[in-house]
Amino acid sequence: MPNLDIHASKEYTMMVEPGIMDRLGELVLRVANPKKVCLVSDTNVSELFAEKATRSLQKEGFDVNVLILAPGEGTKSMSSLNRILEFLAEHEYTRSDILVALGGGVIGDLTGFAAATYLRGIPFIQVPTTLLAAVDASIGGKTAINLKAGKNLAGAFWQPSLVLFDVDTVLELPEEQFKDGISEIIKSAVIGDAKLFDYLQTVENPKIIDFTMECVMGAVKVKRDLVAKDERDTGMRKLLNFGHTMGHAIELVSDYKISHGRAVAIGMLACAKAADKMGWSNRDCAIPIWQVIDKYGIDAKCPFDPHQLAAAALNDKKRSGDNISIVIPLEIGMGAIMDIPVHELEEFFRAGLE
Ligand code: GLY
């Protein structure tokens, strides 16, 4: 079954396989030799998978503690972080024990940040249970919580020791959440893998498991290569933000009622259209991007105006001084990072949304 090795400040493997959650305990032993394992999850995910994961860990003789938090973005907070840290201290976790994040991006980011800070750093394992987390948040070592002023404003780069994606978990995913993952996969294809884009464009009625494996392997390879070159996100890694400058603004202005995947789809399409109009792309990428977004039933109509979105985006942490970084497609499979003056952002958004 396919494995992907990630080369960053820590070398680790992502294993992508149907049913792999049953082997969680045995696979922990490949990367650590803990006495205790703390499984962190949320109420939605734990109902489906916590028992299976716990059973597998207990089979190997680990002392397992389970901490279940509320689902949703609100959990990515200082108080949840504090709860995990106090829980670990109460149960006398040491540096040779381990955390397991079982869930989507919220649980992964939060648990990773707790692992980065408890005793100045203990190992953790990512077990993503959404397609979105499997192709993005679970690899690359960005861990964070949100502050009042915005998303992911406190965090650390802290790589997991192992990432396990049980492909069978997508069978439990609501359709809208599956589409959120597809949107990030389209993003990876546009910035770095023309073959993956071609697969997304041409595949007809695939078996869901085969389709997921193909897409996850392709998208994670794009991210893996960027993380290997730029783990700390000072250069090429920013390509992964394609569609995200406008996307984050849409999430914010909609009060998070528009999902991340849909917001990114709108952002990608607008960016491709604007870049083509400005003559920055080698060829028009907006049409093929729109075709793929439409094929997977992602609603890419933008309900907000460019002025509102530019104002929200200018609070984004990707802004540096008088410029803001945006990602554009040069052609399908090749992205580029452009720094534009902040006062031109509204015009850029307008060009993309007209
Ligand atoms: N989610 C973007 C990154 O990991 O850099």
Side-chain angles (χ1 to χ4, degrees):
M1 281 295 169
N3 287 346
L4 279 165
D5 292 328
I6 320 285
H7 306 284
S9 46
K10 182 187 270 175
E11 310 270 312
Y12 56 97
T13 300
M14 178 178 193
M15 301 176 78
V16 180
E17 199 176 311
I20 202 166
M21 211 180 305
D22 288 326
R23 294 173 55 210
L24 174 61
E26 164 208 334
L27 294 168
V28 165
L29 282 172
R30 287 204 191 167
V31 294
N33 196 8
K35 263 171 67 183
K36 295 180 192 151
V37 179
C38 179
L39 187 82
V40 183
S41 193
D42 68 35
T43 47
N44 292 340
V45 173
S46 64
E47 228 171 77
L48 297 167
F49 308 118
E51 204 183 305
K52 186 192 274 201
T54 306
R55 216 181 310 121
S56 170
L57 291 164
Q58 284 171 337
K59 206 167 111 207
E60 300 303 325
F62 302 128
D63 182 359
V64 183
N65 299 107
V66 182
L67 182 58
I68 308 291
L69 303 169
E73 196 66 32
T75 291
K76 239 173 98 171
S77 65
M78 197 66 89
S79 67
S80 305
L81 175 68
N82 187 53
R83 192 155 161 218
I84 301 177
L85 297 177
E86 292 291 358
F87 184 88
L88 296 173
E90 247 169 59
H91 291 83
E92 299 178 349
Y93 272 66
T94 70
R95 274 205 196 126
S96 51
D97 295 321
I98 198 161
L99 278 161
V100 173
L102 175 73
V106 166
I107 289 295
D109 283 8
L110 171 70
T111 307
F113 193 28
T117 48
Y118 183 68
L119 301 179
R120 301 191 181 88
I122 71 169
F124 84 114
I125 292 179
Q126 289 272 21
V127 185
T129 57
T130 65
L131 187 56
L132 184 60
V135 296
D136 191 21
S138 68
I139 64 153
K142 278 188 181 175
T143 72
I145 56 168
N146 302 330
L147 300 181
K148 275 195 201 113
K151 274 181 89 161
N152 299 329
L153 291 184
F157 288 95
W158 189 249
Q159 301 290 344
S161 300
L162 180 69
V163 183
L164 298 181
F165 180 47
D166 184 337
V167 186
D168 285 344
T169 56
V170 297
L171 300 173
E172 306 287 345
L173 269 189
E175 195 184 343
E176 289 308 309
Q177 279 191 37
F178 191 75
K179 286 185 195 171
D180 278 346
I182 299 284
S183 191
E184 287 284 345
I185 292 162
I186 297 171
K187 175 204 78 178
S188 301
V190 174
I191 60 164
D193 187 348
K195 273 200 189 134
L196 177 60
F197 194 86
D198 186 53
Y199 174 76
L200 289 165
Q201 258 185 328
T202 55
V203 68
E204 288 302 338
N205 304 317
K207 289 202 180 108
I208 180 89
I209 296 295
D210 298 345
F211 173 79
T212 303
M213 300 262 288
E214 187 78 23
C215 289
V216 170
M217 295 305 283
V220 171
K221 275 183 194 156
V222 172
K223 180 158 184 177
R224 172 195 67 176
D225 292 349
L226 290 169
V227 168
K229 286 185 195 125
D230 175 27
E231 180 177 354
R232 308 288 290 199
D233 201 18
T234 55
M236 295 297 283
R237 184 169 177 166
K238 290 182 202 258
L239 284 173
L240 294 166
N241 291 331
F242 175 47
H244 282 61
T245 301
M246 184 185 282
H248 282 160
I250 291 170
E251 285 184 89
L252 194 69
V253 174
S254 76
D255 206 14
Y256 297 94
K257 289 192 180 64
I258 294 188
S259 72
H260 181 70
R262 194 183 146 209
V264 166
I266 298 169
M268 289 192 289
L269 196 54
C271 253
K273 210 164 149 188
D276 184 51
K277 279 191 186 164
M278 307 279 183
W280 296 341
S281 297
N282 299 340
R283 50 184 65 108
D284 179 10
C285 299
I287 292 173
I289 291 173
W290 181 81
Q291 284 167 343
V292 173
I293 286 172
D294 187 55
K295 174 177 172 180
Y296 291 95
I298 302 164
D299 176 6
K301 279 188 292 300
C302 183
F304 304 114
D305 67 62
H307 179 72
Q308 261 179 309
L309 296 179
L314 292 175
N315 287 324
D316 194 289
K317 65 188 186 309
K318 284 183 287 301
R319 176 180 170 181
S320 87
D322 294 334
N323 288 332
I324 185 160
S325 294
I326 49 160
V327 180
I328 59 154
L330 292 178
E331 51 196 72
I332 295 297
M334 195 191 293
I337 301 158
M338 308 267 302
D339 281 336
I340 63 167
V342 289
H343 65 266
E344 286 178 15
L345 187 68
E346 186 175 328
E347 188 194 332
F348 182 77
F349 280 1
R350 193 172 302 282
L353 292 174
E354 266 167 12

